[in-house]
DNA sequence: CTAGGGTTAG
């Protein structure tokens, strides 16, 4: 296209940049950005917004995104949402909140998409008071409570410690999605309310919503945190046999965590050995910590040595080993 | 003619 008669125009770039974002390819994105600059489309707010988003989606691109953002001739709510959302995605939630404050100071009106990202930042930070403020801000500003925004509110309350409030919003919500159910189940799980999480899970199935792989992670986590080992095992079978979901490492990880918390270290080891996929470092660390807690020091030592062989650069593994020797 | 978000074990 570049060497023919047809030149790219400013309407071409958002599609190309979006493709780079989808691939997460920073080098490709950089070269497309270079082309944007070369053709002088870097004064177009839509092209710049897509560029910010592209950098935010590429690993290691967040600083470049901020650079483009800072140099934009004009910022609209999409620009701010893209940058705030980018910070949340890479886990820089404090920067996301700071940027939201800056957005308010310069007087750009946030919309429901901005607020979803701000709420994600609150959830990540466990900032309940800020989250409550955001909720009242949404009401005060008359920002549209889409299903996605309601879900973000439920998720925030659920994970920041006000499960009752999350449940209340959930019960009053019209048009719940599996995300709404999963957020409340996760909150109950995190706060040791495993039986309620289980009954909500059953209620969900009863209303005709089929559980997906993410919902099962929440459910297993609930069983794990509440010591419901037999329930967890039976749900694991049902996930595979009844709902035909292929377990991922996260599902196996939950089961290992559940067995370890219950002190069934040997059974956790057997479970790992029977898994059809390789245990990742997270699973191995769960097992090692359990070995230490339950006096299986020899076993813990051998697994830790295996872990160190797999990731010799991870300093925390040596801490695990020294903790075992300390015992 | 284009654009930003949304549940995932420890």
């Amino acid at each position: 296209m570049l060497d023919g008669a047809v030149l790219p125009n400013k309407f071409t770039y958002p599609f190309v940049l979006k493709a780079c974002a989808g691939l997460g390819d920073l080098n490709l994105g950089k070269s497309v950005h270079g082309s944007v600059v070369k053709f002088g489309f870097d004064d177009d707010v839509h092209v710049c917004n897509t560029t910010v988003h592209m950098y935010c989606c590429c690993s290691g691109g967040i600083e470049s995104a901020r650079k483009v953002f800072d140099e934009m001739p004009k910022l609209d709510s999409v620009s701010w949402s893209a940058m705030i959302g980018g910070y949340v995605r890479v886990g820089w939630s404090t920067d996301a909140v700071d940027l939201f404050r800056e957005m308010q100071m310069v007087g750009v009106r946030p919309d429901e998409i901005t607020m979803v990202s701000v709420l994600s930042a609150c959830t990540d930070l466990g900032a309940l008071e800020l989250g409550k403020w955001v909720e009242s801000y949404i009401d005060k500003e008359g920002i549209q409570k889409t299903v996605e925004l309601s879900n973000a509110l439920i998720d925030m309350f659920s994970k920041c410690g006000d499960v009752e409030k999350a449940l209340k919003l959930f019960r009053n919500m019209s048009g719940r999605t599996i995300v709404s159910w999963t957020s409340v189940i996760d909150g109950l799980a995190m706060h040791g309310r495993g039986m309620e999480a289980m009954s909500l899970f059953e209620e969900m199935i009863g209303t005709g919503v089929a559980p997906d792989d993410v919902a099962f992670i929440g459910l297993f986590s609930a069983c794990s945190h509440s010591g419901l080992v037999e329930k967890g095992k039976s749900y694991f079978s049902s996930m595979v046999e009844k709902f035909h979901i292929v377990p991922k490492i996260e599902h196996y990880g939950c089961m290992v965590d559940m067995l370890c918390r219950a002190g069934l270290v040997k059974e956790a080891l057997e479970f790992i050995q029977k898994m059809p996929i390789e245990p990742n470092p997270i699973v191995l660390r769960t097992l090692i910590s359990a070995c230490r807690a339950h006096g299986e020091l020899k076993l813990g030592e051998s697994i830790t040595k295996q872990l160190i062989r797999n990731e010799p650069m991870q300093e925390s593994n040596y801490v695990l080993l020294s903790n075992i020797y300390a015992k």
Side-chain angles (χ1 to χ4, degrees):
Chain A
M1 185 167 85
L2 293 174
D3 58 18
V6 183
L7 289 172
N9 61 33
K10 68 174 184 174
F11 301 114
T12 315
Y13 280 99
F15 293 105
V16 181
L17 289 161
K18 201 172 176 181
C20 296
L23 294 166
D25 186 331
L26 183 61
N27 287 327
L28 186 61
K30 276 184 178 166
S31 76
V32 174
H33 181 208
S35 165
V36 164
V37 174
K38 187 178 124 198
F39 284 100
F41 297 133
D42 52 336
D43 61 351
D44 183 88
V45 66
H46 300 311
V47 172
C48 288
N49 285 345
T50 327
T51 306
V52 170
H53 178 241
M54 176 280 292
Y55 276 127
C56 287
C57 289
C58 297
S59 155
I62 194 77
E63 311 269 10
S64 306
R66 184 60 194 256
K67 195 160 182 290
V68 173
F69 178 85
D70 284 337
E71 288 169 2
M72 280 174 65
K74 201 169 156 285
L75 297 167
D76 62 12
S77 69
V78 178
S79 332
W80 289 93
S81 298
M83 196 64 234
I84 292 168
Y87 278 143
V88 175
R89 195 172 315 127
V90 298
W92 296 12
S93 299
T94 307
D95 298 84
V97 172
D98 289 346
L99 202 62
F100 174 64
R101 297 221 163 96
E102 224 180 286
M103 178 183 187
Q104 288 179 283
M105 277 187 300
V106 301
V108 177
R109 189 175 188 278
D111 61 14
E112 75 278 9
I113 296 177
T114 321
M115 299 323 290
V116 168
S117 291
V118 175
L119 282 167
S120 293
C122 295
T123 308
D124 184 46
L125 297 168
L128 180 61
E129 290 310 312
L130 181 59
K132 283 183 188 166
W133 179 87
V134 170
E135 186 197 25
S136 62
Y137 179 86
I138 289 166
D139 290 334
K140 191 181 77 194
E141 293 292 315
I143 293 169
Q144 197 194 347
K145 286 242 190 82
T146 56
V147 173
E148 294 82 0
L149 184 53
S150 298
N151 285 345
L153 276 168
I154 289 170
D155 195 49
M156 183 277 295
F157 280 116
S158 186
K159 296 192 177 129
C160 292
D162 196 344
V163 190
E164 291 311 316
K165 172 76 182 185
L167 278 165
K168 200 173 149 209
L169 291 175
F170 174 80
R171 292 292 175 202
N172 291 328
M173 180 181 183
S174 57
R176 288 171 209 147
T177 65
I178 190 151
V179 176
S180 333
W181 290 94
T182 304
S183 287
V184 187
I185 290 169
D186 284 347
L188 290 168
M190 285 172 64
H191 295 92
R193 295 164 63 168
M195 299 298 281
E196 289 163 88
M198 262 177 12
S199 83
L200 206 64
F201 184 86
E202 294 297 341
E203 187 188 333
M204 178 181 84
I205 295 175
T207 63
V209 176
D212 62 6
D213 55 334
V214 184
F216 270 107
I217 290 170
L219 178 69
F220 295 152
S221 154
C223 294
S224 175
H225 288 268
S226 301
L228 303 164
V229 176
E230 290 312 311
K231 289 284 182 192
K233 286 183 189 171
S234 106
Y235 275 123
F236 191 87
S237 311
S238 129
M239 173 176 84
V240 177
E241 279 145 34
K242 195 165 161 204
F243 295 100
H244 309 290
I245 293 170
V246 178
K248 295 196 297 189
I249 188 67
E250 290 90 336
H251 299 103
Y252 291 111
C254 286
M255 300 309 283
V256 170
D257 185 58
M258 189 184 79
L259 295 169
C260 285
R261 279 176 200 266
L264 305 166
V265 184
K266 289 253 162 62
E267 195 179 336
L269 178 65
E270 284 162 18
F271 184 86
I272 291 175
Q273 286 163 342
K274 275 192 275 181
M275 279 164 34
I277 50 181
E278 279 297 303
N280 63 11
I282 299 171
V283 172
L284 293 179
R285 275 193 277 270
T286 303
L287 186 62
I288 292 162
S289 301
C291 287
R292 198 186 66 213
H294 296 95
E296 299 279 354
L297 302 182
K298 276 270 164 261
L299 183 59
E301 182 189 354
S302 82
I303 302 163
T304 311
K305 284 181 172 165
Q306 183 197 326
L307 188 60
I308 288 173
R309 273 194 296 279
N310 293 346
E311 4 163 75
M313 300 308 287
Q314 184 77 44
E315 277 181 48
S316 62
N317 293 337
Y318 298 94
V319 177
L320 283 172
L321 193 59
S322 75
N323 284 344
I324 288 175
Y325 289 139
K327 270 222 164 172

